[in-house]
Amino acid sequence: MTMMQKFLGAAATLALSTGAALADPAIIFDLGGKFDKSFNEAAFNGAERWAKETGGKYLEIELQSEAQREQALRRFAEVGANPIVTTGFAMSTPISEVAGDYPDTKFVTIDGYVDAPNVLTIGFTEHEGSFLVGMMAAMASKSNTVGFIGGMDVPLIRKFACGYAQGVKAANPDATVISNMTGTTPSAWNDPVKGGELTRAQISQGADVIYAAAGGTGVGVLQVAADEGILSIGVDSNQNHLHPGKVLTSMLKRVDVAVYNVMSAGDAMETGVITLGLAEKGVDYAMDENNKDLVTPEMQAAVEEAKAKIIAGEIKVQDYGADNACDVLSF
C-alpha cells in the first residue's frame, strides 16, 4: 500500500489515478483524534449522521502533527473532495494559504477565521453557553468555590472561561472562580494526566465543581472529579454519560450540527461567516437521565430564564474573543 493510499484510502487513490473528481466531502480532525469525547468527536458524530441518513461517504484524516495540516488540505482538494471541513482554529493559516489555489473547492473552518471567497467560517457563542453552566456550577456548589480548566491558552478558551465566570457571579456574586490552562502548545488538548493534576490542585483550593474546556485533557478532569467526589462540567459533546450522577451538565457546542449541515449542503454550501448561538441552538446545556438528579427545578428555571434573556438581548455576556478582556476573571 502506498503512502497516498494510507493517507486518503483506496477511493481517493482511484480518483487520482483516473482523474475523476470525488463529489464526496472530507473532514480533517484536529490533534487529539476523532474519539476525544469532546470537540472532534462532535464533528465526527455530525459526519456519521450525514453518512447514515444519506448513504453518502466522506474522506477523513486524524492529524498527528502540525506538518500535516496543509498537506491534508491539498491532497483532499486534489482528489476533488468538496466541501473540505476542518476542525479547530489552527487550520486558519493553512486554509488561507491553500484556498486560493483551489478556487472551485469550498473549505470550512470551524472555530477559525479565513477571509476568502470559497471559505465558510463557522463560529459559536461559547461565552453564552458557558454563562449558563457557570450559573449551574454556582448554584450546585457548597463551598462557594468553583473551577475552570482550559486546554491550550488561546483567546477562544479564555472566551469559555470568561463566560463561565460571569455566569458564576450572576448566580452568586460572592463565589470564587479558580482558573487554570493546561498549556500553551497543541499538546494541551490531549493530556488527561495534566488535567487530573490540575483538578486535584483546584480541589485542594476548595473547588467542588469544575468545568473543563480542554478537549481530550478534559476526560482526565472529569475522571478525577468523579474519583474525588466533586462535580464536573463537560464540554462540546454531551459528556454526562462518562460519569453518570457526577457530571453536573455539559456545555453543548453543536459542532455536530455544523458538520451535518455543511455536508448536507454539498456544492451548494454558501460561504462567508456564520455564528451559532443560543437562538440558533448552536450552544446549550445538557439535560438527560445521567444528571437529572443533580439539577434542581430551581436551577433549571433560573438557567432557562437567563437563556431567554440572553437571546432577547436583556443580558449581555462579555465576549473575551471580541474584547480581549474579562472584567470578572484575571488570566
Side-chain angles (χ1 to χ4, degrees), residues 18 24 59 70 102 107 109 112 126-127 129 139 141 145 164 166 173 176 184 196 211 240 252 257 265 286 288 321:
T18 62
D24 298 332
L59 302 176
E70 183 172 338
Y102 303 93
F107 298 86
T109 172
E126 296 92 350
H127 54 302
M139 296 177 75
S141 175
T145 299
Y164 174 69
Q166 290 173 79
T176 297
T184 58
Y211 176 29
N240 296 356
L252 299 177
V257 173
D288 57 26

Side-chain angles (χ1 to χ4, degrees), residues 29-76:
F29 297 104
D30 208 350
L31 300 174
K34 66 182 179 183
F35 296 122
D36 64 356
K37 297 181 173 61
S38 185
F39 181 79
N40 283 319
E41 192 158 332
F44 171 71
N45 289 337
E48 284 292 287
R49 176 188 165 198
W50 172 83
K52 289 175 182 176
E53 290 186 7
T54 65
K57 294 179 290 185
Y58 62 92
L59 302 176
E60 64 175 293
I61 181 175
E62 298 177 70
L63 295 178
Q64 302 299 315
S65 70
E66 294 292 321
Q68 288 182 303
R69 295 187 187 280
E70 183 172 338
Q71 183 184 46
L73 288 167
R74 291 191 182 279
R75 289 185 175 178
F76 282 144

Side-chain angles (χ1 to χ4, degrees), residues 87-111:
T87 61
F89 64 89
M91 290 301 297
S92 297
T93 297
I95 291 174
S96 66
E97 294 174 349
V98 169
D101 295 337
Y102 303 93
D104 295 328
T105 301
K106 293 181 178 179
F107 298 86
V108 179
T109 172
I110 298 175
D111 273 1

Side-chain angles (χ1 to χ4, degrees), residues 49 122-129 132 252-258 261 273-285 307-308 310-313:
R49 176 188 165 198
I122 301 177
F124 296 83
T125 60
E126 296 92 350
H127 54 302
E128 293 178 351
L132 300 183
L252 299 177
K253 180 173 172 178
R254 299 307 301 269
V255 178
D256 57 328
V257 173
N261 287 345
V273 179
I274 61 172
T275 301
L276 303 177
L278 286 172
E280 297 79 20
K281 302 188 185 301
V283 294
D284 209 339
Y285 66 98
K307 182 199 295 189
I310 292 171
I311 292 173

Side-chain angles (χ1 to χ4, degrees), residues 10 16 19 37-38 45 72 87-88 113 158 161 171 178 186 195 206 232-233 240 243 263 282 289 304 308 316-317 321:
L16 277 177
K37 297 181 173 61
S38 185
N45 289 337
T87 61
Y113 178 78
R158 292 187 175 202
I178 305 168
S232 61
I233 296 174
N240 296 356
H243 302 282
M263 285 189 171
E289 68 278 5
E304 285 297 316
K316 300 289 187 182
V317 184

Side-chain angles (χ1 to χ4, degrees), residues 149-150 180-182 188 190-205 210 212 214-228 230 232 243:
I149 295 176
N180 293 110
M181 299 293 181
T182 305
N190 195 28
D191 193 346
V193 173
K194 182 66 175 295
E197 292 172 352
L198 290 172
T199 302
R200 291 187 181 92
Q202 292 195 355
I203 291 172
S204 72
Q205 297 175 72
I210 298 177
T217 298
V219 175
V221 176
L222 271 58
Q223 180 66 62
V224 170
D227 292 344
E228 297 294 330
I230 71 160
S232 61
H243 302 282

